[in-house]
Amino acid sequence: MRNTETMVSPVVEAWATYRTTSAGDWPARRLMRAKGNSRVSVVLPARNEEATVGAIVSTIREHLMERVALVDELIVVDSRSTDRTSQVARAAGAEVVSQDAMTRGLPRLTGKGDALWAGLAAAEGDVVAFVDADLREFRPHFVTGLIGPLLTDASVDFVKGFYHRPLVGASSVEADGGGRVTELMARPMLNLFWPELAGFVQPLAGEYAGRREVLEQVPFVSGYGVETAMLIDLLELVGLDALAQVDLGERRHRHQDTAALGQMSAQIMLTAWSRLQRRGWAAPGAMPAALLTQFRRGGSDALPNLDREIVVSDVSVEERPPLAQLRHRIPRRRVAAA
């Protein structure tokens, strides 16, 4: 029987050992001493997150802006919310900017990636951390863990978070049941085509931080492929040794249904295809179909003998070019969201 442990790439094993830390390694007061003149921005992309965004903003303000002046700027990007996300975030102490206002004059794109790009355009920090706005039981270490390696090690350009993601079912909790897209699609794909990235525990994690000067040099995919594209593009831009990861403990958030996860997977696959084309590993100029056919049980339009509706979704993805290329077209003064 083969010992699979001996099959791990020495490069991946060495990187994971050298570039992996825990959030507990980065207490706020230690980072204050290391911060110097660097400015830190935290950006939350938010679409209809009124139930959770206020608590996240309040926690960051209290622990990382008032108790210690570690975070200089806290921005919530309102991504066309139809609820009270903007009002709740502003009342909790965040500066709220509109995704559309920050991208005015540019082609209209949809999805999380475009909100992240708008947040980077609005932020002024030397170090920019991105945190999802749907987290429950949020703690300050989600920020300090991400920015710790960046403030203390000049050779680190980007830090990705990882964590336990419990999947809460109707009658049970699966301790690490979250991250289904990662285990079923993203991790196998990255191991096949970008094996240097195999050491990332959660390549699709929504919490990460980087140096502004580096983040401005990579494009942002408009949809769910943004995290995948960012890792691949940064690997090519700065190399594996400039990337790091940090254990953030446990992450609780809203889970999507299986159909939504299928659409997410399709967007990630399309994103990967575009990077394979760039490397010459996929036919140049050819793109796979961007329509995803799925089945929904029952429904008024169920087909005979099938007992299911056919649902077709457009899963195409677009990209914002690197911010550095469009900086001259971004509003000089941020326009607050309504």
Side-chain angles (χ1 to χ4, degrees):
M1 181 176 179
R2 291 190 304 173
N3 181 357
T4 56
E5 292 185 1
T6 63
M7 304 299 290
V8 176
S9 162
V11 173
V12 170
E13 185 174 13
W15 175 85
T17 301
Y18 175 58
R19 285 304 197 198
T20 302
T21 58
S22 171
D25 298 330
W26 310 110
R29 296 198 181 277
R30 175 189 172 189
L31 298 184
M32 280 299 300
R33 294 192 294 270
K35 180 183 176 183
N37 295 323
S38 297
R39 287 179 55 82
V40 175
S41 299
V42 177
V43 174
L44 281 72
R47 179 179 175 86
N48 296 333
E49 302 293 359
E50 66 176 352
T52 50
V53 69
I56 299 173
V57 169
S58 296
T59 298
I60 295 173
R61 283 209 65 87
E62 177 184 353
H63 293 275
L64 302 179
M65 301 181 80
E66 296 170 358
R67 292 189 183 181
V68 295
L70 183 61
V71 173
D72 301 284
E73 186 178 48
L74 177 53
I75 297 172
V76 169
V77 181
D78 185 2
S79 183
R80 302 167 191 147
S81 297
T82 57
D83 66 359
R84 299 182 64 255
T85 292
S86 288
Q87 296 92 319
V88 171
R90 188 176 291 111
E95 179 178 1
V96 181
V97 300
S98 162
Q99 174 181 340
D100 289 331
M102 291 306 305
T103 58
R104 184 172 298 147
L106 302 175
R108 180 183 171 91
L109 302 184
T110 60
K112 178 185 177 183
D114 193 48
L116 292 169
W117 191 93
L120 179 62
E124 298 178 349
D126 306 294
V127 170
V128 181
F130 297 101
V131 177
D132 280 349
D134 67 342
L135 302 188
R136 301 187 180 95
E137 302 177 21
F138 180 85
R139 298 292 183 269
H141 72 263
F142 271 70
V143 174
T144 54
L146 293 173
I147 65 177
L150 292 161
L151 294 179
T152 59
D153 188 342
S155 67
V156 174
D157 287 328
F158 180 80
V159 180
K160 169 77 80 169
F162 69 92
Y163 24 63
H164 297 290
R165 296 179 64 189
L167 180 61
V168 181
S171 59
S172 64
V173 176
E174 188 177 348
D176 284 304
R180 290 163 287 173
V181 173
T182 293
E183 298 305 327
L184 295 174
M185 193 277 296
R187 191 184 311 285
M189 180 189 67
L190 289 174
N191 274 264
L192 282 172
F193 299 113
W194 293 276
E196 306 98 316
L197 298 174
F200 279 94
V201 177
Q202 284 173 330
L204 303 185
E207 281 64 53
Y208 38 87
R211 301 193 189 279
R212 159 184 292 287
E213 60 185 9
V214 173
L215 293 173
E216 288 191 349
Q217 296 181 57
V218 296
F220 279 54
V221 171
S222 62
Y224 286 114
V226 60
E227 280 85 17
T228 301
M230 192 176 296
L231 271 186
I232 295 170
D233 294 346
L234 287 172
L235 175 67
E236 295 179 359
L237 179 67
V238 298
L240 181 63
D241 190 56
L243 311 180
Q245 64 181 347
V246 60
D247 186 349
L248 299 177
E250 184 174 276
R251 183 189 202 266
R252 293 182 178 270
H253 66 119
R254 181 181 64 250
H255 291 282
Q256 301 194 58
D257 61 28
T258 303
L261 296 181
Q263 295 172 25
M264 181 187 302
S265 298
Q267 287 197 320
I268 293 170
M269 292 175 70
L270 284 172
T271 301
W273 177 275
S274 68
R275 270 63 191 166
L276 291 172
Q277 278 187 319
R278 195 168 63 194
R279 298 182 68 168
W281 290 6
M287 283 298 290
L291 296 180
L292 176 66
T293 299
Q294 296 174 297
F295 298 91
R296 180 186 300 147
R297 184 179 294 276
S300 59
D301 295 326
L303 297 181
N305 303 322
L306 193 62
D307 192 31
R308 291 167 174 81
E309 292 180 324
I310 294 180
V311 180
V312 178
S313 303
D314 183 353
V315 294
S316 58
V317 295
E318 299 178 89
E319 298 186 17
R320 289 282 186 214
L323 181 60
Q325 296 179 11
L326 295 178
R327 174 58 73 182
H328 64 287
R329 298 183 61 182
I330 302 302
R332 291 187 178 182
R333 304 188 69 176
R334 294 192 292 266
V335 180

